[in-house]
Amino acid sequence: MTIAHTLGALSVMAGALLATQSAQAQDNTFINPDWANSAWYIGAGVGQSRATIDEPRLRASLAANGETVTGFTKDQRDTGYKLFVGRQLNQYFAVEAGYFDLGKFDFKSTTSGNGVLNGEAGFRGVNLDLLGQLPLSQRLSLLGRVGMHYTKTNTEFSGNRLLGSTNTHASERKLNAKLGLGLEYKFSEALALRGEVERYRLNDAVGNRGDADLYSVSLVYKLGRPASATPAYQPVPAALPPISETMPAPVAEVKPAPAPVSEKVSFASEALFDFDQSTLKPQGKAALDQLVGQLTGMDLEVIVTVGHTDAVGSDAYNQKLSQRRAEAVKAYLVAQGVETSRVYTEGKGEKQPVADNTSAAGRAKNRRVTVEVVGTRKVMR
């Protein structure tokens, strides 16, 4: 399997995950998406490893000793696994250390004169990598890694054609480079699934130098998730009078008709929706119920709901997400009795930030849904 084919398969897997949008468990609700940009994490992966056994070199060595190879079989694949711990440096980079075992690879050869030569090589070691993460959306990221690994190689030979070597067991420890590519899909900011292909540069303890590849699937869990939630209801201070007003004292003269008032309320996206979702949470419905309750006694003219996002992910994706969230708020208000013709929606995506997107606090402020209510208070007489 080539790297290109593997990345193609990973892309299909990620596309399927995005299409299905599996339901999130209650404890996986996004509380504060930005805490993960400096979190420690742990993980484990398993997959198929593949190394190349140098058959031409072995045949040539046997021929040089007067042997004619009559049969040659090799097993160049095995199960590999890895365990790792890492630290996010920021949204785009992490440092990761781990332990890996690529498995064992062997060959069996027969020669004229009932000759036999068998061999087996195993590789295990530790690594230290710099991991780059490029967000393709809020959930999906492209991964790239570069690093070094310190690997112990054990090579064993058996049979009656040992090429003049009396050392049937050889071992070597060597520092070499490694590279990797992959995709990561976040179920939440605490839990993610990775699919990767990694290439390890290796020495086989008998003078050969080559590569081994590990095609793996890993689970990653980030530690230290905050327990506190983002406040659900965040009124925006306005110069206009609040909905609740003190009833004026009776006077003899005729009062002019009350002027229309406009009020705007901002809801943090995490208070209304799960991460990367546009379906209202129970907490979000409760917050909107408070708003609907304040419409009592008002001659409503119009309600405008506007969705906003931070700058993480592509502009096109954020635009669609902000529009879906604004539509979800409208649908709930209509279900609570508000006339559908009086509710308008708009998605602004990442175009109207109210804070700096380079900071975690700023991005949290930018992820919001605003609801503007325009109407006239009924005057009690």
Side-chain angles (χ1 to χ4, degrees):
M1 180 184 293
T2 66
I3 292 179
H5 289 163
T6 302
L7 289 178
L10 293 176
S11 299
V12 172
M13 178 186 71
L17 286 168
L18 283 174
T20 57
Q21 291 290 301
S22 58
Q24 300 298 300
Q26 182 70 20
D27 61 355
N28 278 338
T29 299
F30 243 67
I31 294 176
N32 179 7
D34 294 300
W35 67 268
N37 291 338
S38 59
W40 286 91
Y41 62 86
I42 57 175
V46 65
Q48 185 181 88
S49 54
R50 180 171 181 176
T52 301
I53 293 175
D54 193 353
E55 180 180 347
R57 176 179 175 274
L58 291 167
R59 286 179 175 271
S61 298
L62 290 167
N65 284 270
E67 305 287 343
T68 300
V69 177
T70 58
F72 195 99
T73 61
K74 54 187 175 181
D75 183 0
Q76 300 184 123
R77 299 183 181 184
D78 201 359
T79 299
Y81 68 88
K82 59 180 181 176
L83 304 171
F84 52 90
V85 60
R87 172 69 184 270
Q88 286 290 148
L89 303 178
N90 53 44
Q91 181 184 352
Y92 303 102
F93 292 100
V95 174
E96 192 172 291
Y99 169 83
F100 62 88
D101 188 332
L102 299 180
K104 296 181 178 180
F105 313 93
D106 58 63
F107 72 91
K108 296 179 180 180
S109 62
T110 57
T111 68
S112 55
N114 296 320
V116 175
L117 176 63
N118 301 326
E120 181 182 78
F123 307 94
R124 63 179 63 180
V126 294
N127 64 280
L128 180 64
D129 299 341
L130 177 65
L131 183 68
Q133 299 160 303
L134 177 64
L136 303 178
S137 71
Q138 286 185 308
R139 288 185 182 272
L140 185 65
S141 297
L142 178 66
L143 303 180
R145 67 171 68 234
V146 59
M148 303 296 292
H149 65 97
Y150 186 70
T151 300
K152 179 181 179 181
T153 303
N154 290 316
T155 306
E156 297 184 359
F157 293 99
S158 62
N160 54 15
R161 295 292 188 271
L162 295 179
L163 306 178
S165 173
T166 58
N167 186 8
T168 61
H169 176 83
S171 133
E172 181 167 316
R173 291 174 173 83
K174 202 77 172 180
L175 184 66
N176 278 305
K178 68 185 292 280
L179 299 169
L181 287 174
L183 293 168
E184 179 179 271
Y185 181 84
K186 295 182 178 67
F187 296 111
S188 72
E189 278 294 344
L191 183 65
L193 177 70
R194 288 180 185 173
E196 291 185 275
V197 55
E198 296 168 271
R199 170 155 291 181
Y200 296 77
R201 191 66 170 163
L202 295 170
N203 296 75
D204 70 358
V206 291
N208 291 331
R209 185 173 173 83
D211 299 314
D213 298 327
L214 176 62
Y215 305 86
S216 65
V217 176
S218 306
L219 281 177
V220 184
Y221 184 77
K222 290 186 175 178
L223 308 172
R225 183 176 181 171
S228 60
T230 305
Y233 190 67
Q234 299 178 352
V236 174
L240 296 172
I243 291 178
S244 176
E245 297 178 350
T246 304
M247 185 175 68
V251 291
E253 66 273 14
V254 177
K255 292 289 185 180
V261 297
S262 172
E263 294 185 358
K264 183 182 291 186
V265 177
S266 180
F267 298 89
S269 291
E270 287 81 5
L272 301 181
F273 306 98
D274 283 337
F275 175 62
D276 201 29
Q277 299 293 303
S278 56
T279 301
L280 282 166
K281 301 190 299 184
Q283 303 96 304
K285 293 179 180 179
L288 292 176
D289 286 340
Q290 296 178 33
L291 177 64
V292 173
Q294 295 187 33
L295 300 180
T296 303
M298 172 180 277
D299 287 330
L300 181 64
E301 294 184 11
V302 67
I303 295 178
V304 181
T305 67
V306 183
H308 302 268
T309 70
D310 60 22
V312 177
S314 69
D315 181 69
Y317 181 86
N318 287 335
Q319 173 64 34
K320 293 178 181 178
L321 177 62
S322 66
Q323 183 66 45
R324 290 198 307 269
R325 287 180 166 175
E327 294 286 352
V329 172
K330 173 182 177 178
Y332 186 76
L333 294 177
V334 170
Q336 303 312 302
V338 179
E339 294 182 37
T340 185
S341 61
R342 295 190 182 277
V343 186
Y344 295 85
T345 63
E346 189 173 4
K348 293 293 187 180
E350 59 189 65
K351 297 183 182 68
Q352 293 184 349
V354 294
D356 190 350
N357 270 307
T358 60
S359 69
R363 289 191 294 273
K365 292 179 180 179
N366 291 333
R367 295 189 298 270
R368 67 197 190 279
V369 176
T370 61
V371 181
E372 184 172 7
V373 179
V374 180
T376 304
R377 273 289 170 196
K378 296 179 181 178
V379 178
M380 299 181 63
R381 298 186 183 277

